[in-house]
Amino acid sequence: MPISRRKFIKTSLSATAALASPAISTRYAFGSDDPIKVGSLLDQSGAIASSGVTMVTAMEQGVAEINEAGGLLGRPLQLIQYDTQSNIQLYSQYAQQLALKDRVDVVHGGITSASREAIRPTFDRFQVLYFYNVLYEGGVCDRNTFCTGTTPAQTVEKLVPYAMKNSGKKAYILAADYNYGQITAKWMTKYMQDNGGEVLSVDFFPLDVTNFGPTISKIQAAKPDLILSALVGGNHVSFYRQWESAGMKGQIPIASTTFGLVNEPSTVDASVSADIYGCYGYYEELDTPESQAFVQKLKKRWPDIPYISELTAANYEGLFLWAEGVKKAGSLDRMAVIEALESGITYKGPSGDVTLDGVTHHTTRNAYLAQVKDRKWNVLETFKAVQPSDTAMVCNLKDNPRDNQQYVIDIDS
Amino acid sequence: MDLAAIVALNVVNGAASLFLLCLGLAIIFGMMRIINLAHGEFVMLGAYAAVIAANAGINIWISMLVVAPLVVGLFGLVVERCLVRFLYGRLVDSMLATWGLSLLIIGLTTTIFGNTMQGVPTPLGGFAIGNYRTSWYTLFLLAVALGMMAIVYAVLRYTRFGLIARAVMQNPDMAAVLGVNPAHIYMATFSLGAAVTGLAGGVLAPVSGITPVMGSAYVAKAFITVVGGGAAIISGTLSASGLFGFINQLGAYFTTPVYGEVILFLSAIVLIRILPQGISGRFFKGTV
C-alpha cells in the first residue's frame, strides 16, 4: 500500500499527539506528581556573597529534608535558585523570570533591604507568595509578603538598654548610608531616648568608606559612653580594626546590630572583636538540641561552612514556616496558604519557637543578647517570644488587607 | 591644641595612604597610558598575599613589605606578558580587558579563599596626644609612603634603568633605534607598578576589611588622583594625593563622611576642569 508523504506526516503527527496527550494534560490539568517549585534569590557572588552563600546552604538543606520526609501534599519540592550577584538589576530580572517563566509557587529571597524593595512589587503584581527571611529595619506591611527575620523592636530594643546599663547614657551612632542604616539609626535614637539616654551624633558612611581616622577622632572629641554601630559590609570592618589599633579598645564599649552576622568574629583578630555586644535571633553557639542538630547537619554536608548566623537559621525557618502553611491549607492556592499562615503557624526551629503573626506578617521569636569573647559569641540573656511590636504599631493587615507599603518610624527628637 | 594635632595627623595619614594606593597606578597609567581597571584587585591581591603569609607564620613585617610586593609584582609580570602587551596604544581596549581581568581575579579569589578571610592583627599599638589616642600604625603608613616616594624617585632619576624607562615612555621608536628593547622595558615597568600596588595592599591589610571585593573601594579614588596629578609620577601623584587627602579628611571631620566624599569628588571635577593636564601639567613641568 503506497503511502504519500503528506499522509505519512499527518498520521505520524496525530499518533505522536495521541501518545503525548496524557503527559500534556497531566502537566496542565492535574499536576499531581509534578514538583512544587520553590524559588530562591540570593547573592552568591559579589559584595553580599558572604551573607548569601550560607543562606543558600540553609535553603538546600531545608528542601532536601522536606523531600526526604515525602515532600509536601505528596509532591516533591524543586528548588529553583538564581545567583543575583549583589546586583539589584539582576534581582528585578530574576524575580520576573521566577514569576513568569518558572511559575514558582513561593519565593524565598532578598538580602539587603534595597534588594527586597526591588523585588517585592514584582511578586505583588504577579501574585507570587514572597518570604523575606532576613533581619531588617521593620515596617514592611504587605499581605503577599512574610518577613520572618528579627526587627529592631526584637533586637535593638534589648541591645540598647543592656549596653547603656554597662556603660552610660551618652551614645555615638555609626551607620551605613542606605535604607537599613538610616532607619536602624532612628530606632537606636528612639530606644536611647526611651531609656533616658542622649545621642551625641549620628554619622552615616557610604559602603566604600575604608578610612575611619577622622571618625575615630570625632568620637574621642565627643566623649560618648557607648558606640552603637549599624555599619555594613567588608569595608566597614576597617572601623573596628582602626579603633583597636588606635588603642581605643576597652575605653568605650561598642554594641552593634550587624557585627557578627557574616563571620566577623573569626575574620578579625580576637582583640578587635572582644567585648562587642550584639543581639540577634540566633547564634551558632546556642546549646539547645534543635540548634546543635541544625549546626551539625550543615557542617556535615558543607564542612567548610563559615559561621552560621541568624541569616542562615531564619532562612531555614522561613522555608519550614511556609511548608507548615501549605500543609495546613492543604493546597498551593496563594490565598489559601496566606490565610493558613495568618492563622498563627508555629515552627520549632534552631532558634526556638517561631510563630507567624497574622496581623503584621512578621514573626514572634526568641532574641538572644550576646557578647564576643575569644572569637565566639557568649550568650548572656535570652528573651523568649518577643513580639514584632515596631511593625505592629503601624501595620494591621487584618483591618487593612490592601495596605502595601513600608512604614518608616517617625521620631520627634 | 591636641585636637588640631590629631586632625593634622589624620590628614597626613589620609594623604599618605592615598599616595601609596596611587603610586603604582601612576607608574602604569602615567608612563604607559594603560588604564588598569584591575588596579583595585592588585591592591586586594597584595592584602591577601600579606595576610596569608602572616597567617602561615611568616613575620608580619616581611609579609607586608616583601611578600606582598613580590607576589603582586610577579602576577603583574604574567598579566603583562599574557594580556597587556597586546594593548599598548589601545586605550579603550585596555580598559575592557583589564576590567575583565578584575572580574576574573575577584572570581578566582572567591573560589579559592571564600568570601571572608581571617585577617591579621594591627601591629604596633596606640599612643596619646593629650586626650586623644591614635595608632603608631598611622605614622608607619606615612613612613612607608615617604620611603616609597624616595625609592621610586631615586630609581627613575638616578639609575640607568630609570633613564631608559623614561626615554622609552617618551619615544619608544627612538629608544629602539638606540638599542633598547621597548617590550622589555614595558614589561619591567608594568611589573614594578604592580609590585608598588601590592605593597600598598600589604601595608593596608592590617587596617582594612579583607574581602575579594575590597578593591572596588579604592579604584575610583586612585584614578581621580592620578588624573588630577597629571603626567609627572612623583610630583603629580604627591600633590594630588596631598590635596585630595586633605580635602577628604577635613571634609569628613567637619561635616560627615558622606559629604567628605561629595566634596572630594566635586573638587576633583573642578580641578580637572581648570587643569585638564593635571596639577603637574601646569606647575611641575619637567619633573619626575
Side-chain angles (χ1 to χ4, degrees), chain B residues 89-275:
Chain B
R90 295 160 63 188
L91 203 67
V92 178
D93 298 352
S94 77
M95 282 173 75
L96 198 61
T98 51
W99 186 50
L101 177 70
S102 89
L103 296 179
L104 177 74
I105 299 175
I106 293 175
L108 279 180
T109 314
T110 313
T111 313
I112 298 172
F113 300 109
N115 285 299
T116 53
M117 179 79 197
Q118 181 168 339
V120 286
T122 316
L124 308 171
F127 66 99
I129 303 178
N131 289 325
Y132 295 88
R133 295 191 63 85
T134 188
S135 64
W136 285 112
Y137 203 78
T138 316
L139 293 179
F140 169 72
L141 280 179
L142 179 64
V144 174
L146 289 174
M148 284 313 294
M149 185 169 79
I151 292 170
V152 173
Y153 179 78
V155 166
L156 287 177
R157 185 76 180 75
Y158 297 113
T159 65
R160 190 172 162 74
F161 170 77
L163 186 70
I164 293 173
R166 283 186 292 146
V168 170
M169 303 318 151
Q170 280 185 10
N171 193 334
D173 295 339
M174 185 59 76
V177 167
L178 293 171
V180 176
N181 186 346
H184 288 169
I185 300 299
Y186 283 138
M187 181 178 78
T189 316
F190 191 90
S191 181
L192 179 75
V196 170
T197 309
L199 180 86
V203 295
L204 286 172
V207 285
S208 319
I210 315 282
T211 63
V213 289
M214 65 187 280
S216 57
Y218 301 113
V219 72
K221 270 185 206 161
F223 266 103
I224 287 170
T225 310
V226 170
V227 172
I233 294 176
I234 299 286
S235 58
T237 312
L238 184 64
S239 51
S241 52
L243 179 70
F244 290 146
F246 178 77
I247 291 172
N248 187 213
Q249 300 283 306
L250 276 193
Y253 183 80
F254 285 111
T255 61
T256 67
V258 179
Y259 288 110
E261 304 276 293
V262 172
I263 296 167
L264 169 72
F265 289 121
L266 265 183
S267 52
I269 293 171
V270 173
L271 179 82
I272 291 168
R273 178 70 190 81
I274 302 173
L275 303 171

Side-chain angles (χ1 to χ4, degrees), chain B residues 36-81:
Chain B
N36 180 18
L37 284 181
H39 179 71
E41 282 59 49
F42 282 22
V43 175
M44 180 268 286
L45 285 178
Y48 266 74
V51 166
I52 289 165
N55 285 343
I58 298 173
N59 179 286
I60 175 80
W61 302 104
I62 295 174
S63 308
M64 292 190 305
L65 298 172
V66 180
V67 175
L70 216 57
V71 168
V72 183
L74 284 175
F75 183 78
L77 189 71
V78 174
V79 167
E80 204 275 345
R81 283 290 91 187

Side-chain angles (χ1 to χ4, degrees), chain A residues 207-213 216 231-245 259 264 268 272, chain B residues 122 204-210 214 217-218:
Chain A
L207 289 175
D208 60 353
V209 167
T210 52
N211 188 335
F212 287 85
I216 290 172
L231 296 170
V232 175
N235 291 329
H236 285 182
V237 172
S238 312
F239 167 75
Y240 302 101
R241 312 190 75 178
Q242 291 168 15
W243 179 254
E244 196 264 348
S245 77
F259 188 85
E264 284 94 342
V268 299
V272 173
Chain B
T122 316
L204 286 172
V207 285
S208 319
I210 315 282
M214 65 187 280
Y218 301 113

